Amino acid sequence: MKRHWGYTYFLTRGLASVGTETNLICLAYNLKRMIKIIGVKELIRLLRDRAPLILNMYNVYLSKIA
């Protein structure tokens, strides 16, 4: 995936940073696929409809780590 997009090496150092970089690349790949499959307008609508659920999950996560 990285090589296909022109990334031949990691831009960060350390296991945690490289893992984060990998996760971001995978997220970008999956978003790109979703745009091709359902289109931009439908993706925006789906994300907007689920925004309260996503924010609730984020708040629960923050309350657990605080």
Side-chain angles (χ1 to χ4, degrees), residues 7-18:
Y7 297 105
T8 55
Y9 57 91
F10 288 99
L11 301 174
T12 58
R13 292 185 182 201
L15 190 57
S17 295
V18 169

Side-chain angles (χ1 to χ4, degrees), residues 1-59:
M1 191 177 349
K2 283 179 59 128
R3 194 172 298 131
H4 179 72
W5 284 354
Y7 297 105
T8 55
Y9 57 91
F10 288 99
L11 301 174
T12 58
R13 292 185 182 201
L15 190 57
S17 295
V18 169
T20 301
E21 187 177 340
T22 303
N23 288 338
L24 288 172
I25 289 169
C26 291
L27 176 64
Y29 173 78
N30 288 328
L31 284 173
K32 203 172 168 182
R33 284 190 65 218
M34 287 185 68
I35 288 170
K36 281 188 177 186
I37 293 169
I38 65 174
V40 174
K41 288 182 180 181
E42 181 66 15
L43 179 60
I44 290 172
R45 187 190 67 75
L46 288 170
L47 291 173
R48 189 177 294 137
D49 291 347
R50 288 170 176 76
L53 175 65
I54 294 168
L55 289 174
N56 186 34
M57 289 171 31
Y58 180 71
N59 288 334

